Amino acid sequence: MTTLSDPDHTPARQVPSAMPIILDGAAPRDRESPLLEGLNPQQREAVLYRGPALLIIAGAGSGKTSVLTRRIASLLESREAWPSQILAITFTNKAAAEMRERVRAILGQGADGMWISTFHSSCVRILRREAESAGLSATFSIYDSADTKVTLKRIIKALDADTLGFTPGNASAKISKLKNELADADSYARNANMSDPQEVMFVEIFRQYTHRLRAANALDFDDLIGETVYLFRAFPKVAALYRRRFRHILVDEYQDTNHAQYSLVRELTRPVEPDLAEEMEATGVHVRNLRDASGGIPGASLTVVGDSDQSIYAFRGADTRNISEFERDFPGTRVILLEQNYRSTQNILSAANAVIGHNFDRTDKKLWSAGGDGEKIVGYTAYSGHDEAQFVSDEIEVLHRAGMAYRDMAVFYRTNAQTRALEEILVRSAVPYRVVGGTKFYERAEIKDALAYLIAVANPNDELALRRILNTPKRGIGPATETALASFAEANQISFRQSMRDCASLGLGPKVTRAILKLATLLDEAALKLDPENPAGTANVSELLTFLLDGSGLLSLLRGSRDPQDEARAENIEELVAQTKDFNKENPDSGLVDFLTQVSLVAAADDLDDASGTVSLMTLHTAKGLEYEAVFLTGVEEGLLPHQMSANEPGGPAEERRLFYVGITRARQRLYLSLAMTRAQFGDINVAMPSRYLQEIPVDLIDWKQSPGMANSRGGTQPRALNARRDGFGGGFAGRGDPQALPPAPKKKTEWASRVPSQVRDNGDLTLMQGDRIRHVDFGDGRVNQVTGDGTKRIAHVQFDTVGAKKLLIKIAPIEKL
């Protein structure tokens, strides 16, 4: 067993107090420490307070990282703790590295020896040291999510569990959820309905997965925390060593902790009983200076920093009760509120306060800024998702021309499916962007799969597309069968598609042969739908894609999965279906090849370079912890925010409201809220209603460029929100009891400046110069003011006669030179 021989084995004269970690009130100081410079009173108190437990409720942008690092530095500077007595836990390696560097910048090498790491990294160090007690080899492997899914795939295949709907994805998600609740296969089985075949099968999958990990001397990421908790509970002497060592434990983002992480913190902060302390002293582990009057070692001082209003990871097991019930769990807790915000303008903060105030079971706080009111929030109701994307693109260009760098702007959305329209418009408008924490829409595997079906119909000789869909979704067609089909085609000088039709000659077995023939027949039937002489008429792109998705089961399989990632994949494919419907409407005379050409041109557009960086596109969940000068929060509609899957779940609307709050508080200076009148959902174009959360923002904070009231059938006299007032006044969107504040009725218009370019072209040979006159399919005539960039990245800066200034990526813009 590890003895943890550390610098804290020192004579009492080197320690400032017999109980260095429990000093009630502020730590004594002979002089003002430079660490306190620039802190507001609440931050100062959080740095100086000494007691058994400290809860810092840190509002968005309130300087919590600075407080946490200065608190650590203060403990070391005052010699109340050795570096090795401090354990600081963060949620990401990036946050841990940043905290470590900040403390080192203050104290230099004096900070070496601290444990500043993630939950998982800390647990790995403990488990490798105590591997023998944990029943492991010190060289145990750590399985990532891919390793877990490969292992589960083999188990599911051996058990034929796929017949009951199990996939590596949904089995992995359920096992992870249980492990985060510190449940194992046996404890789950005790409460499971064992008369349900699905439950019986899951228990067997869970047991076999656990057995395979142990046999491989491996742990997965969830095991790292759970096994450490089990270790401490099963071996009190081991736990006592770490409770003695870590006298100050600090946890960042405490609102995001799950049950296993909470349990780990509890185990580390328990006191060491007198008999164990006596035994440790007798075996040479020095604890004399740490013992209290009872002879035991008091629990470590615990500092947690968090904000229940920013808890948005319930789907990962995060439990807001860990922070809301902290005072009950740790008696004698001191609570400090950090409400002064150093990031956003007051208008943005007032909106955030108003929204989050509708959640209950939270510590009430009001964020405020000393930096002034700032610009009003801009609201915009688009006619469609594409129109919304064009508004975002145009406003980005307005900000950029005013001097704001692209890197200081971000676009947020609730679901990945929303990126399709945004990406298309940004590409066509020559706005450099990057998708943060995700994949570009056309690069997503499920979109490539769906497009491969269309390509296989349009071009029967495309072997790459055929191979991609051969076993997608799973049909029991493995690599060996794929190779046999290719060899048969080559030997007989026929196409891969023809070899699929003739697969009965290969002796592959009835099940595999039927699967291949069924796919070949589906593709042949789809091809017939494009035949101009088809008596039923020629199918459009949307009808063809729907037929292929239904026949292949690609979409229904994703919809029926219990894996949350499959739910997102299904939404992406549904967005592709909606795109085909838009294409049919905008290009009634175009067919499948034209659609695939348009998609390939947009998808293949080179990433643009700009000296001021790129606009960041990301989901609201990804946005946590980031900040930007300007934020565009899109899709603020019922069904998206709150999301339809969460709206009817217990706690769902409150969590979605926290997500909205997080999005609002990422903005420093400018915030844009946008929604659409119509939105593609489940492959159909549906009327979209404004989010209930919009009504929670005071009307005087939002400047509606086009309000929900202006985009309805009532001539602008009433808002369209489902829960809006219907008394003739404007509810949350117009005036509150003031008819004069109602938005004006919209002017009759057949075209609008942000109309979406509906076509793309391959203009590889087109040369434009300053002064050239051009004609755009949608924007009309204009004059080229400037051409920038090189090769495929050439950008035309055009002043159009009717819609003003636009930027166009020359390579794909639907333009001609006059």
Side-chain angles (χ1 to χ4, degrees):
M1 183 182 290
T2 306
T3 58
L4 300 182
S5 177
D6 294 314
D8 55 348
H9 303 162
T10 53
R13 61 184 174 82
Q14 291 189 9
V15 181
S17 168
M19 292 175 59
I21 45 74
I22 310 281
L23 299 178
D24 196 17
R29 275 172 173 72
D30 297 324
R31 58 184 175 78
E32 183 77 351
S33 169
L35 291 173
L36 304 178
E37 290 179 5
L39 297 181
N40 64 42
Q42 292 75 28
Q43 291 175 325
R44 180 191 178 95
E45 183 184 3
V47 169
L48 295 179
Y49 178 79
R50 302 292 185 263
L54 172 63
L55 170 59
I56 303 173
I57 302 292
S62 60
K64 70 178 178 66
T65 304
S66 176
V67 167
L68 207 52
T69 52
R70 293 196 201 199
R71 180 171 173 81
I72 293 171
S74 171
L75 289 168
L76 298 176
E77 182 189 61
S78 62
R79 296 177 65 82
E80 294 169 74
W82 295 99
S84 60
Q85 291 179 309
I86 292 175
L87 170 62
I89 300 175
T90 66
F91 267 79
T92 66
N93 290 315
K94 179 182 177 183
E98 180 184 352
M99 190 181 297
R100 202 177 295 115
E101 288 305 311
R102 285 201 189 192
V103 175
R104 189 172 286 123
I106 297 171
L107 299 175
Q109 290 185 338
D112 293 346
M114 289 183 301
W115 280 30
I116 301 182
S117 60
T118 63
F119 275 103
H120 293 100
S121 297
S122 300
C123 289
V124 168
R125 294 178 71 174
I126 293 170
L127 288 172
R128 292 215 189 276
R129 285 181 169 183
E130 310 298 338
E132 185 178 347
S133 297
L136 294 163
S137 162
T139 58
F140 64 81
S141 303
I142 301 172
Y143 278 18
D144 62 16
S145 58
D147 297 327
T148 292
K149 287 180 179 177
V150 167
T151 306
L152 286 169
K153 181 179 180 180
R154 291 170 181 163
I155 294 170
I156 289 168
K157 184 177 181 181
L159 295 172
D160 281 333
D162 54 338
T163 59
L164 290 173
F166 287 101
T167 65
N170 61 37
S172 172
K174 188 169 183 179
I175 289 172
S176 176
K177 184 173 183 289
L178 288 169
K179 286 187 175 183
N180 286 333
E181 294 168 358
L182 294 179
D184 57 17
D186 292 333
S187 63
Y188 178 78
R190 283 194 290 272
N191 299 308
N193 177 12
M194 299 307 280
S195 61
D196 181 350
Q198 225 172 16
E199 288 281 77
V200 173
M201 181 62 75
F202 175 73
V203 169
E204 184 59 25
I205 291 170
F206 197 174
R207 281 190 173 129
Q208 287 201 21
Y209 175 67
T210 304
H211 175 73
R212 291 200 185 195
L213 282 178
R214 280 293 174 174
N217 187 38
L219 300 175
D220 63 23
F221 271 91
D222 298 313
D223 284 328
L224 294 175
I225 299 173
E227 289 293 331
T228 307
V229 173
Y230 299 148
L231 173 73
F232 288 161
R233 291 177 176 175
F235 297 92
K237 292 180 182 179
V238 174
L241 286 170
Y242 290 92
R243 290 168 186 161
R244 165 203 161 274
R245 172 176 184 146
F246 298 125
R247 306 309 300 148
H248 296 270
I249 296 174
L250 305 96
V251 185
D252 195 10
E253 302 288 3
Y254 192 70
Q255 77 279 350
D256 292 333
T257 52
N258 58 36
H259 178 67
Q261 292 160 338
Y262 162 82
S263 300
L264 178 66
V265 172
R266 289 287 286 178
E267 291 301 322
L268 285 169
T269 53
R270 293 188 189 281
V272 177
E273 296 300 322
D275 58 333
L276 276 176
E278 190 67 41
E279 186 177 337
M280 291 168 74
E281 188 72 47
T283 56
V285 181
H286 301 291
V287 297
R288 187 182 306 112
N289 297 327
L290 301 176
R291 298 172 75 174
D292 59 15
S294 72
I297 302 175
S301 169
L302 174 63
T303 300
V304 302
V305 183
D307 179 9
S308 58
D309 293 339
Q310 296 185 69
S311 179
I312 58 174
Y313 295 125
F315 66 96
R316 294 182 189 168
D319 191 343
T320 56
R321 291 176 301 178
N322 291 348
I323 196 165
S324 63
E325 298 177 3
F326 186 84
E327 293 173 80
R328 187 197 69 184
D329 293 338
F330 297 91
T333 294
R334 172 72 169 169
V335 180
I336 297 175
L337 285 171
L338 301 184
E339 297 177 292
Q340 184 173 355
N341 179 283
Y342 295 91
R343 176 191 299 157
S344 307
T345 64
Q346 189 58 52
N347 279 338
I348 292 171
L349 296 178
S350 297
N353 289 332
V355 168
I356 204 62
H358 286 75
N359 274 1
F360 64 93
D361 193 21
R362 57 180 287 270
T363 302
D364 186 48
K365 62 181 180 303
K366 297 292 182 186
L367 297 180
W368 63 276
S369 170
D373 290 342
E375 298 283 344
K376 280 192 174 185
I377 298 165
V378 174
Y380 184 77
T381 303
Y383 290 88
S384 67
H386 272 93
D387 187 33
E388 177 189 47
Q390 189 69 56
F391 164 75
V392 170
S393 175
D394 290 346
E395 290 297 316
I396 286 172
E397 280 306 298
V398 169
L399 293 173
H400 187 59
R401 285 196 294 269
M404 187 179 292
Y406 285 127
R407 71 173 70 90
D408 292 329
M409 294 180 257
V411 183
F412 299 159
Y413 37 82
R414 178 63 178 85
T415 68
N416 282 313
Q418 292 169 254
T419 65
R420 196 266 301 178
L422 288 166
E423 288 188 61
E424 284 198 14
I425 299 304
L426 293 177
V427 165
R428 296 175 187 183
S429 303
V431 174
Y433 75 94
R434 65 190 180 109
V435 178
V436 179
T439 309
K440 291 185 176 182
F441 185 80
Y442 292 113
E443 293 174 1
R444 297 182 183 279
E446 61 274 15
I447 298 302
K448 286 191 169 186
D449 292 340
L451 289 173
Y453 273 94
L454 291 176
I455 293 167
V457 173
N459 179 12
N461 292 320
D462 191 326
E463 184 176 329
L464 194 64
L466 288 166
R467 283 182 174 236
R468 184 177 187 96
I469 65 175
L470 191 62
N471 198 40
T472 304
K474 299 283 189 252
R475 299 186 176 90
I477 304 171
T481 302
E482 184 180 330
T483 302
L485 285 169
S487 300
F488 182 76
E490 185 176 355
N492 291 278
Q493 295 186 325
I494 58 175
S495 67
F496 191 88
R497 175 76 164 272
Q498 187 59 46
S499 73
M500 290 170 61
R501 297 188 185 104
D502 298 342
C503 65
S505 308
L506 274 69
L508 296 171
K511 186 177 179 181
V512 173
T513 300
R514 277 197 305 272
I516 297 172
L517 288 174
K518 184 178 179 182
L519 176 59
T521 302
L522 175 69
L523 296 175
D524 288 342
E525 290 176 353
L528 285 173
K529 289 181 175 291
L530 295 180
D531 189 344
E533 298 181 6
N534 188 337
T538 305
N540 60 34
V541 183
S542 176
E543 293 167 343
L544 188 70
L545 179 57
T546 302
F547 173 78
L548 289 166
L549 291 173
D550 290 343
S552 66
L554 181 63
L555 184 55
S556 60
L557 189 72
L558 292 172
R559 280 177 176 165
S561 171
R562 289 178 291 180
D563 185 345
Q565 291 182 332
D566 283 343
E567 176 192 318
R569 294 182 184 109
E571 288 181 350
N572 290 336
I573 292 181
E574 287 158 358
E575 175 63 24
L576 183 66
V577 174
Q579 179 189 4
T580 61
K581 292 183 178 180
D582 286 344
F583 177 82
N584 295 334
K585 186 166 55 178
E586 295 167 358
N587 306 276
D589 299 325
S590 300
L592 175 59
V593 173
D594 299 305
F595 173 75
L596 292 172
T597 301
Q598 174 172 313
V599 167
S600 63
L601 284 172
V602 173
D606 297 311
D607 289 338
L608 297 176
D609 303 314
D610 190 274
S612 67
T614 56
V615 177
S616 297
L617 272 59
M618 70 190 77
T619 64
L620 282 165
H621 283 99
T622 305
K624 176 80 177 293
L626 304 176
E627 57 184 72
Y628 297 90
E629 290 297 319
V631 163
F632 294 83
L633 216 165
T634 63
V636 190
E637 304 151 21
E638 290 292 315
L640 279 180
L641 193 65
H643 194 273
Q644 57 195 359
M645 299 298 291
S646 303
N648 298 319
E649 293 181 359
E655 171 118 347
E656 294 287 301
R657 185 179 283 108
R658 291 194 291 270
L659 199 55
F660 187 41
Y661 172 84
V662 165
I664 291 172
T665 54
R666 300 309 96 193
R668 293 193 193 113
Q669 300 294 328
R670 303 298 302 272
L671 175 64
Y672 297 78
L673 303 177
S674 63
L675 59 150
M677 286 178 63
T678 60
R679 180 77 64 176
Q681 288 180 314
F682 301 113
D684 293 322
I685 307 299
N686 297 317
V687 174
M689 300 301 293
S691 170
R692 67 193 76 174
Y693 303 144
L694 282 175
Q695 286 202 141
E696 298 169 359
I697 301 176
V699 291
D700 58 324
L701 297 179
I702 304 182
D703 176 18
W704 285 98
K705 288 201 169 185
Q706 178 159 288
S707 80
M710 293 167 63
N712 70 359
S713 59
R714 297 187 178 86
T717 60
Q718 290 180 347
R720 294 166 56 245
L722 287 168
N723 54 347
R725 290 168 53 189
R726 299 298 185 201
D727 56 4
F729 299 108
F733 296 108
R736 295 189 184 272
D738 179 9
Q740 299 301 315
L742 292 167
K747 296 178 182 178
K748 183 179 180 181
K749 56 178 171 180
T750 56
E751 300 285 336
W752 50 89
S754 59
R755 164 98 184 265
V756 179
S758 59
Q759 299 177 24
V760 294
R761 290 180 187 160
D762 192 349
N763 295 324
D765 300 327
L766 181 62
T767 302
L768 292 178
M769 298 178 62
Q770 182 179 356
D772 284 345
R773 293 284 296 177
I774 65 165
R775 178 165 296 157
H776 190 283
V777 168
D778 292 287
F779 297 147
D781 294 352
R783 179 180 179 275
V784 178
N785 290 334
Q786 184 184 12
V787 176
T788 58
D790 298 310
T792 59
K793 298 179 181 180
R794 287 178 302 134
I795 297 169
H797 301 252
V798 184
Q799 182 68 37
F800 285 100
D801 299 342
T802 55
V803 299
K806 299 281 184 184
K807 281 199 323 184
L808 305 173
L809 190 61
I810 296 174
K811 177 185 175 183
I812 63 170
I815 56 177
E816 59 181 345
K817 190 191 295 188
L818 299 179

